[in-house]
Amino acid sequence: MLFLFNDRIVELDSPEARLSSRWRSLGCGDPAGLMARDALEFVQRVWREHDDDGMQLDAELICDLGALIVAKTGANAALFQSKRNGRCEPRLTVLPEAILAALMVQRAAGGPVDLGEVWREAA
């Protein structure tokens, strides 16, 4: 399955299996005991730490975080943006795989990708 994290699209072969094998190294705690809210707070904290340091999340970390989001919320797209007041309000949605695949092809071809439009449509 494809997963959209902000403006990056990654391939997640088996989100639940990935999470099962990587949750210890991810540091999120046992996912069986996490509520969706807890998972989102963890992802937000990881994203914020990277964003504050001016670092991008690498593809492997996005896959791990995506697996956590999919497993706990069912969403295949997550948007984390800083607000003017410094807070971050995550937005989640389920997008058709065809849309994500088309975006991935556009991005790989160097074409313009307007993710703002995708998120407006998902609202």
Side-chain angles (χ1 to χ4, degrees):
M1 81 178 289
L2 295 175
F3 184 83
L4 173 64
F5 188 97
N6 287 347
D7 62 347
R8 309 242 329 257
I9 301 170
V10 294
E11 180 79 40
L12 291 175
D13 291 327
S14 177
E16 289 80 9
R18 182 179 185 100
L19 183 60
S20 177
S21 68
R22 297 189 47 94
W23 68 268
R24 284 182 182 86
S25 62
L26 182 58
C28 63
D30 185 355
L34 291 177
M35 302 292 286
R37 178 185 64 245
D38 302 323
L40 289 176
E41 286 174 359
F42 175 80
V43 174
Q44 180 178 336
R45 187 171 54 251
V46 171
W47 174 79
R48 171 62 77 195
E49 289 169 0
H50 282 74
D51 191 55
D52 287 348
D53 292 340
M55 299 175 5
Q56 279 198 351
L57 300 172
D58 65 41
E60 285 300 306
L61 183 53
I62 290 174
C63 287
D64 290 345
L65 297 174
L68 180 60
I69 290 170
V70 169
K72 290 302 178 181
T73 71
N76 69 350
L79 176 66
F80 290 81
Q81 289 184 322
S82 295
K83 301 292 182 189
R84 288 187 195 119
N85 61 5
R87 295 188 59 212
C88 173
E89 298 289 332
R91 290 180 58 195
L92 303 174
T93 193
V94 176
L95 294 172
E97 186 86 5
I99 289 175
L100 293 175
L103 290 171
M104 192 175 220
V105 168
Q106 275 183 307
R107 174 149 297 188
V113 178
D114 183 6
L115 292 172
E117 185 62 32
V118 170
W119 284 108
R120 278 189 293 281
E121 294 285 328

